[in-house]
Amino acid sequence: MTGLIVGVDVGGTFTDLFLYDPSAGAFRTAKVSSNRGDEASGFLAGLRALGGAAGMEAIVHGTTVGTNALLERKGARLGVITTAGFRDVLEMRRRDRRHTWGLWGDFTPIAERDLRLEVPERTLADGTIRTHVDLEAVRDAARRLLAAGAEACAIAFINAYANSANEQAAAAAVRAIWPNPHVSVSSEILPEIREFERASTAALNAYLQPVVAGYLGRLEGALAQERFTGRFHIVQSNGGIMSTATARRMPVRTALSGPAAGVIAAAAIAHAAGFENAITCDLGGTSFDVSVVAGGRMELAAQATIDFGLVIRSPMIEITTIGAGGGSIAHVDRGGLLQVGPESAGSRPGPVCYGQGNDRPTLTDANLVLGRINPDRPIGGTLARLDVDAARDAIARHVGDPLGLDAFAAAEAILRVANAKMAGAIRLVSIERGHDPGRFAALPFGGGGALHVSALIRQVGLKAALVPRYPGVTSALGCIIADVRHDQVRTLNLALDTLDAAALDARMVAEAEAARAIVAEAGLPLERIDTVFELDMHYAGQTHTVAVPLPVNLGEGTTGVTAQAVRAAFEAAYGRAFTRLLPGLPVRIVTLRTAAIGRRPHFDLAMLAPGQEASVATAAQGSRPVRFDGAWHDTPVFARLALPVGAVVAGPAVLEQPDATIVVDPGLAARVDRFGNLIIERA
């Protein structure tokens, strides 16, 4: 690719952009305010800040529109058509409860019971059709749903993964009546065993279709008015990118789009800097997202729960999210305890110091009052100055007075509570999963991550922190370097002892060709397309499976798979998971997973490094009082981007740049590596 490519990450508070010019080996960044509910305006404002969309060859977008629609229950009015007797699958779930010991459940499914309709049909688990679908009943159900105001429809029949004939016939009948393309069919979305997960994924896909399709349509229309003629792509939850056409058809794959882009960039930055083990920490305006990179590999989960009961079975980067962002509101609850989040002030009205009408203090207000943020240099460039007095008064009124603290002690309390929540999230993905945090570096990004990383090093016992050169636009950088990826799944239900290796090989080749074709259609320059195969397997009688990577290569019409290779791969995977095998028990293959990954041209992170003109003397910006652990320190301030490679800054110190602020606590020191990253370690 020789034309301009732009990564755009739209968050709850800011829209971040990273422009890359491959022909010149140059880049530019931008950060503008997001407009919640009208994200397209912030999107276009960012593109104009980079010179306009007309000359751009490709735009890759990480979005939280789908995530927010699920969390806020603002998807489409949804209708479901299902097999007689199965209308309540979405409500029963896995018989779990939000509050285990509560007296009643409080889960509301995304489709009301009156909008979940049953039709006569039945397919058995072996694929045999016992009862052919009643198409007139299907048409009647579709008309009833439309009359009730349904905007989207999900079709989920029992055992459709084994034989989709009934479901496909019903889909054709519904699509002939339905006035829009928002019809999701479970065998198209997830042809995999497990009734609830398949039904849930199909239903959530339909629930998101009008929201995501409408959002993308508005963006594409606005881009056309800006004379954009290049390609427009969306980041998927699995860390790859896809076309907008695929995103419209399968919006459920965008559920963690924005956070995934940041993890992609963070993993690449950590690897280049020599840190194979990292915990990514994305602190934005609304949330704190953490993910583990172990041995240089991002962790993928087969499914994720976005909120209680909202289960999506689709490969996703494992990301844990808590409601602790820069806009998280601090308050004292009825029990007299200080809480920070999960409610957020967002971008509008934003923190108190923004002066846009909010009078409740946020985490950003606390950082400002304690001197950690420069009121004269707010990130984003849309505000001239932050109102310190208003922030201090709000903290005193809402937190200090109820707790008997002055404004500064109250601000420190807010930081301690927020830091404790962040530390808890890091422990959840590290210690509780068998990782020693002392072997991991925190990699903070987002507008606020580097404000808190020094405290996290001390609280969690992390090895170090690796602050990217441009932490505030790391997710946008991830959009630039993400590979093109498409995942497919197919339930097989085969016994390993009687495996027909030739038939399995033919199925793998067919799945690979279909996945590779979708990747090739993306139209982006690729160095190659890799194909990865994985089987879900277990011993006979077990319920849960283990993921078994297959060490085979796609050749000329064959993978060369053998029963012996499958058995060896299963025993290796099972041994890693459970330390011992169960010899003598039959082994079953449940599911085949196929991923086609289009490798993008290498992005040289060295281009981000400081230039020859950088020097510590140039970077020094004087000092200001900053409060640490109950005492004020006269703290040196540096222009972070002006620091040269090899520079060392002892804490306490504050390093400022247009997209973020980095705080180095007393007892720590920061040094600049050859990529311009800042490595913070114990002094």
Side-chain angles (χ1 to χ4, degrees):
M1 177 175 288
T2 57
L4 302 179
I5 179 170
V6 180
V8 184
D9 174 56
V10 178
T13 305
F14 290 108
T15 293
D16 305 321
L17 301 96
F18 191 101
L19 181 147
Y20 174 45
D21 183 351
S23 60
F27 69 93
R28 280 186 289 154
T29 66
K31 195 177 191 77
V32 300
S33 291
S34 297
N35 289 322
R36 192 69 177 270
D38 183 20
E39 290 85 357
S41 61
F43 190 104
L44 293 176
L47 293 179
R48 293 187 189 113
L50 293 175
M56 297 172 180
E57 183 173 325
I59 296 173
V60 183
H61 177 27
T63 175
T64 57
V65 168
T67 315
N68 293 336
L70 293 177
L71 293 175
E72 298 173 9
R73 296 297 187 96
K74 292 184 178 178
R77 184 167 171 80
L78 175 64
V80 176
I81 300 176
T82 189
T83 307
F86 288 87
R87 71 190 296 196
D88 294 321
V89 165
L90 292 177
E91 194 158 354
M92 291 188 298
R93 306 175 307 283
R94 287 284 171 193
R95 295 181 297 176
D96 50 348
R97 300 164 67 99
R98 188 193 300 269
H99 304 295
T100 304
W101 308 111
L103 295 179
W104 55 80
D106 58 355
F107 173 72
T108 302
I110 56 172
E112 299 170 15
R113 196 166 194 271
D114 289 347
L115 294 179
R116 306 195 302 263
L117 305 183
E118 300 175 347
V119 297
E121 78 84 31
R122 190 57 183 256
T123 300
L124 302 183
D126 64 359
T128 303
I129 296 179
R130 170 173 286 182
T131 304
H132 288 277
V133 63
D134 185 337
L135 293 180
E136 192 51 47
V138 170
R139 295 185 189 97
D140 179 64
R143 294 187 187 101
R144 288 167 58 193
L145 291 175
L146 288 171
E151 304 164 280
C153 178
I155 302 173
F157 289 170
I158 185 75
N159 296 324
Y161 69 89
N163 184 344
S164 65
N166 272 358
E167 206 173 67
Q168 291 299 321
V174 171
R175 284 168 172 156
I177 296 171
W178 210 258
N180 60 49
H182 308 321
V183 177
S184 292
V185 184
S186 77
S187 55
E188 296 173 358
I189 304 299
L190 185 70
E192 183 179 352
I193 196 171
R194 296 188 188 279
E195 196 63 24
F196 164 64
E197 287 78 6
R198 182 164 51 85
S200 175
T201 304
L204 290 172
N205 194 76
Y207 185 69
L208 290 178
Q209 273 187 304
V211 176
V212 174
Y215 170 69
L216 294 178
R218 290 190 297 274
L219 273 183
E220 288 175 325
L223 288 171
Q225 292 183 353
E226 297 284 322
R227 301 190 303 280
F228 173 69
T229 58
R231 290 186 173 271
F232 184 30
H233 292 82
I234 303 297
V235 178
Q236 300 182 68
S237 305
N238 62 13
I241 62 176
M242 60 183 171
S243 67
T244 52
T246 303
R248 280 190 171 91
R249 186 170 57 88
M250 304 190 78
V252 75
R253 294 190 176 183
T254 71
L256 293 176
S257 168
V263 177
I264 295 163
I269 291 167
H271 175 74
F275 290 88
E276 293 301 299
N277 298 318
I279 297 174
T280 69
C281 307
D282 179 5
L283 182 67
T286 304
S287 64
F288 181 66
D289 305 321
V290 293
S291 184
V292 171
V293 178
R297 294 169 58 92
M298 297 177 292
E299 296 191 4
L300 282 180
Q303 71 181 44
T305 301
I306 305 302
D307 193 11
F308 177 77
L310 303 185
V311 174
I312 296 174
R313 189 154 180 87
S314 179
M316 297 186 184
I317 294 176
E318 283 204 71
I319 298 172
T320 298
T321 299
I322 63 171
S328 292
I329 293 172
H331 67 282
V332 178
D333 65 19
R334 288 183 296 178
L337 296 178
L338 175 60
Q339 306 289 345
V340 180
E343 185 183 1
S344 173
S347 59
R348 290 184 178 179
V352 174
C353 60
Y354 282 18
Q356 297 179 157
N358 175 38
D359 66 350
R360 294 185 294 169
T362 67
L363 183 56
T364 294
D365 294 311
N367 274 306
L368 177 66
V369 166
L370 296 174
R372 295 162 182 252
I373 294 176
N374 187 340
D376 297 314
R377 293 182 181 175
I379 64 173
T382 55
L383 296 172
R385 192 177 191 280
L386 300 179
D387 192 337
V388 182
D389 293 337
R392 185 171 54 248
D393 291 345
I395 290 172
R397 184 168 63 257
H398 290 277
V399 177
D401 292 347
L403 296 179
L405 302 173
D406 65 31
F408 300 113
E412 278 198 290
I414 292 171
L415 252 65
R416 283 196 296 272
V417 170
N419 288 337
K421 291 182 68 174
M422 296 177 207
I426 292 175
R427 293 188 186 100
L428 180 67
V429 301
S430 59
I431 297 171
E432 294 190 23
R433 297 184 185 177
H435 298 298
D436 176 8
R439 297 175 52 244
F440 283 75
L443 203 153
F445 57 96
L451 283 166
H452 299 265
V453 74
S454 290
L456 296 178
I457 290 175
R458 294 184 299 170
Q459 288 196 26
V460 184
L462 294 159
K463 175 182 180 180
L466 176 68
V467 184
R469 177 75 166 161
Y470 297 95
V473 295
T474 299
S475 291
L477 172 61
C479 296
I480 296 288
I481 64 180
D483 293 324
V484 183
R485 179 172 177 140
H486 182 73
D487 289 87
Q488 294 188 172
V489 62
R490 186 71 57 182
T491 292
L492 301 178
N493 269 339
L494 302 173
L496 181 57
D497 290 342
T498 57
L499 178 66
D500 183 341
L504 176 59
D505 177 71
R507 168 60 74 182
M508 292 169 65
V509 170
E511 292 289 314
E513 289 176 348
R516 291 168 68 92
I518 292 174
V519 168
E521 287 173 2
L524 287 173
L526 303 174
E527 293 184 341
R528 66 184 189 278
I529 300 178
D530 294 336
T531 309
V532 179
F533 299 103
E534 189 176 84
L535 297 174
D536 290 344
M537 301 177 65
H538 61 62
Y539 285 109
Q542 293 180 330
T543 301
H544 297 288
T545 60
V546 294
V548 180
L550 286 183
V552 297
N553 295 310
L554 184 65
E556 292 295 327
T558 182
T559 63
V561 68
T562 65
Q564 293 78 10
V566 173
R567 183 177 296 278
F570 168 72
E571 291 180 349
Y574 197 92
R576 285 193 300 270
F578 301 107
T579 71
R580 64 184 295 269
L581 305 179
L582 303 177
L585 286 181
V587 177
R588 295 196 62 83
I589 300 171
V590 180
T591 303
L592 168 65
R593 300 185 185 279
T594 307
I597 306 170
R599 303 297 184 184
R600 299 276 294 283
H602 175 68
F603 182 91
D604 187 3
L605 290 167
M607 76 171 62
L608 306 182
Q612 295 295 323
E613 71 284 356
S615 71
V616 175
T618 304
Q621 303 290 304
S623 64
R624 68 169 179 262
V626 181
R627 190 171 172 115
F628 296 94
D629 297 325
W632 291 95
H633 295 253
D634 187 38
T635 303
V637 179
F638 296 88
R640 185 265 174 98
L641 298 181
L643 287 171
V645 172
V648 177
V649 175
V654 175
L655 295 86
E656 298 175 349
Q657 59 188 97
D659 63 312
T661 298
I662 303 104
V663 173
V664 183
D665 280 14
L668 303 177
R671 58 183 172 87
V672 181
D673 74 0
R674 66 187 183 92
F675 298 101
N677 301 314
L678 200 68
I679 300 173
I680 303 176
E681 299 168 305
R682 292 171 182 82

